[in-house]
Amino acid sequence: MSSTIAALSSPNGPSAIAIVRLSGPRCLDLAKAIFHMEPKARHATFSPYKRLDGDALDDVVYTYYKAPASYTGEDMLEISAHGNPFIIHEMLDDLFKRGCTPAEPGEFTRRAFMNGKMDLSQAEAVALLIDARSQRALKSARRQLHGELGKRISALSDELLDISALVEAYIDFPEDDLPPEDKRLIADKALSLSEKISNLAESAKYTHIVREGLDIVIAGAPNAGKSSLLNSLLGSERAIVSPAAGTTRDFISESIILDGYRANIIDTAGLRHAADEIEAAGMAKSAEKISTCDACILTLDSAAPLPELPDLGSDYPGPDKTLVAINKCDLTDSNPEIFEKHFAGYACERISCTTGYGIKSLKKELLGLIRKNRIIPASDDIFISTRHAAALERARDSVKCAAQKISDSAPAELTASDLRDALDALGEIVGKTDNEEILDRIFSKFCIGK
């Protein structure tokens, strides 16, 4: 990595300030050439930016970072200019004429990883932090960025090394046959470790929820008040509300923050026997959303008879994932008791989307339903990506195979091979196992300038 890279590190488009970032061995010489002074490390300095032709391009603030005390571990230069896209274009063009190379996506963070400033799981967390769309997603990304996943992998690796040391010792001293109780002890340790690895891999199922949000579907018969409930939960008029049945033909999705998590509230077409093909298509989409949701709010009109909902078979979520919202309880002819009796065993909440009655309690009940069924992960959970989960599963399977070989008194060399495979799999997560293809895939998803 002998080249000096440059890129815009703030968003494209007009802004108050734009940041151009450089990393590489020529940063110091470039700073001297552009600003005609010796830069002081880690000090912000105001100066005109002088182009190669000597003309001043803009008045900027620049900061020089001397290696290794920088984000990438190399010499770095950050230039804060006025956020005019033309100025930035001219500045980058000047830097490229001076010998800088355009940075690839994620190249700054990749250099930080290659220079030992962070492990691979921390490097991945940089992109997660930028993309976080809720408090919990932000908190989880920060925990990973601060090395929490790396610490857990390190603890698992230490246990694995302890087991490997016992097995390797037997390979080195085969004349000292292990007594049966020692073999059982090593096998038990290996099985216990495989369980810990499995538990960490299992937490991958929560990653999508933390990153993308919970999918909460509002379902029910036409005119039950589903769109009104969506508007009430959002606190704005997002969906069209009409007394005409079948107004919502397609699903509408909007997001709110629920206890720090992103929640995607999905208003679906009313469930009834379709009057035409378009409505049937809308209900098919409703059934699809209901069958895959994390939670369902079944909305009912308490001033109307019990609806005859179409049979969706097993697509309907059970009581553990369904909250019954008994709407229109402000009307004089409402009869919520009938609905509560019919849906005994379900969490029921009386509401009025017109007056706002019960909406706050509905949110609280919904959150309780989600927590009770462990749809939301614990606040200290971290991101386990598909890549992490695959590596953890390989490590778990290898450790289980090793435990079985120990129990079966198989040759110690075979057991040691399984344990080394497990160690390599764990190493992939934090980048201890060199794999250029994995690195290319990870950093290609980053934005340029990060």
Side-chain angles (χ1 to χ4, degrees):
M1 289 181 281
S2 59
S3 64
T4 297
I5 55 174
L8 173 66
S9 286
S10 51
N12 284 306
S15 60
I17 298 291
I19 300 173
V20 172
R21 200 181 211 187
L22 292 78
S23 181
R26 296 195 59 236
C27 284
L28 179 59
D29 291 339
L30 286 166
K32 291 177 182 178
I34 294 167
F35 303 112
H36 302 290
M37 64 178 74
E38 181 84 22
K40 189 175 180 181
R42 308 184 75 83
H43 278 253
T45 305
F46 177 78
S47 173
Y49 182 104
K50 293 292 185 68
R51 296 192 296 195
L52 268 174
D53 59 12
D55 287 345
L57 175 62
D58 190 21
D59 291 327
V60 304
V61 174
Y62 73 91
T63 308
Y64 168 67
Y65 299 90
K66 183 174 177 57
S70 71
Y71 178 74
T72 62
E74 304 172 334
D75 278 2
M76 289 189 68
L77 183 64
E78 291 188 351
I79 305 170
S80 298
H82 291 95
N84 180 335
F86 175 73
I87 292 174
I88 301 306
H89 176 271
E90 291 292 298
M91 186 178 295
L92 287 171
D93 184 60
D94 181 71
L95 290 169
F96 298 148
K97 286 178 180 176
R98 294 176 186 267
C100 290
T101 302
E104 297 292 331
E107 190 169 358
F108 289 93
T109 304
R110 183 168 185 157
R111 291 188 177 202
F113 163 68
M114 297 299 291
N115 290 322
K117 301 295 288 187
M118 58 181 72
D119 68 35
L120 191 55
S121 67
Q122 289 175 290
E124 289 172 295
V126 173
L128 297 175
L129 190 70
I130 292 171
D131 195 43
R133 287 179 272 178
S134 70
Q135 293 97 320
R136 288 293 173 84
L138 181 61
K139 184 176 181 179
S140 295
R142 281 181 58 80
R143 286 174 60 81
Q144 186 167 326
L145 182 60
H146 291 165
E148 185 60 35
L149 178 56
K151 291 174 187 175
R152 296 191 190 186
I153 297 302
S154 179
L156 294 172
S157 297
D158 286 345
E159 286 191 49
L160 185 54
L161 285 169
D162 288 342
I163 297 169
S164 296
L166 294 171
V167 174
E168 297 280 358
Y170 179 61
I171 295 174
D172 293 336
F173 304 100
E175 66 278 2
D176 300 326
D177 194 16
L178 285 173
E181 59 270 19
D182 284 358
K183 287 185 179 179
R184 282 198 301 271
L185 178 63
I186 298 173
D188 288 345
K189 283 185 176 182
L191 286 174
S192 175
L193 177 59
S194 71
E195 187 66 24
K196 291 178 183 178
I197 296 173
S198 183
N199 289 340
L200 187 56
E202 274 288 302
S203 64
K205 65 185 179 184
Y206 298 122
T207 295
H208 177 78
I209 291 174
V210 176
R211 289 193 65 187
E212 305 299 329
L214 294 152
D215 286 338
I216 301 173
V217 168
I218 301 175
N223 275 355
K226 298 184 300 302
S227 296
S228 295
L229 179 54
L230 172 67
N231 292 337
S232 295
L233 291 171
L234 296 176
S236 64
E237 298 297 315
R238 170 63 179 87
I240 297 172
V241 177
S242 167
T247 300
T248 303
R249 294 296 185 100
D250 198 356
F251 68 87
I252 299 171
S253 179
E254 288 291 337
S255 298
I256 62 171
I257 299 300
L258 189 65
D259 192 37
Y261 285 95
R262 176 186 171 97
N264 307 308
I265 310 296
I266 304 165
D267 177 23
T268 58
L271 297 173
R272 65 174 182 176
H273 298 290
D276 53 50
E277 290 185 7
I278 296 176
E279 191 173 6
M283 282 194 287
K285 284 190 176 182
S286 296
E288 180 185 344
K289 291 294 178 183
I290 292 169
S291 66
T292 59
C293 71
D294 295 301
C296 176
I297 304 176
L298 180 60
T299 310
L300 304 169
D301 181 353
S302 64
L306 280 167
E308 291 185 15
L309 300 176
D311 182 16
L312 300 182
S314 61
D315 286 342
Y316 276 126
D320 60 327
K321 293 176 65 176
T322 302
L323 172 61
V324 178
I326 305 172
N327 191 25
K328 304 185 183 180
C329 287
D330 58 311
L331 301 179
T332 55
D333 56 346
S334 69
N335 198 346
E337 293 85 0
I338 294 176
F339 296 84
E340 289 168 339
K341 183 178 179 180
H342 182 79
F343 287 95
Y346 286 78
C348 296
E349 196 69 32
R350 300 183 184 189
I351 66 169
S352 168
C353 294
T354 302
T355 67
Y357 165 74
I359 298 299
K360 187 175 181 180
S361 297
L362 180 84
K363 287 183 179 180
K364 185 177 179 181
E365 190 71 33
L366 178 62
L367 186 58
L369 184 79
I370 289 168
R371 283 175 173 166
K372 184 174 69 175
N373 293 286
R374 197 62 169 82
I375 298 171
I376 288 182
S379 59
D380 65 344
D381 281 343
I382 53 178
F383 288 121
I384 300 295
S385 69
T386 303
R387 184 183 78 83
H388 302 155
L392 287 166
E393 286 165 4
R394 291 202 312 276
R396 175 202 62 200
D397 292 345
S398 294
V399 173
K400 288 179 74 173
C401 284
Q404 188 62 51
K405 286 183 173 68
I406 293 168
S407 298
D408 295 342
S409 297
E413 290 82 358
L414 297 179
T415 303
S417 177
D418 284 335
L419 294 174
R420 283 193 291 269
D421 288 343
L423 200 59
D424 286 344
L426 293 180
E428 277 187 15
I429 295 173
V430 292
K432 290 183 178 179
T433 303
D434 187 22
N435 189 320
E436 195 71 19
E437 184 180 344
I438 289 176
L439 298 184
D440 289 342
R441 189 164 62 248
I442 289 171
F443 290 109
S444 67
K445 299 175 184 177
F446 277 59
C447 57
I448 293 174
K450 195 58 182 173

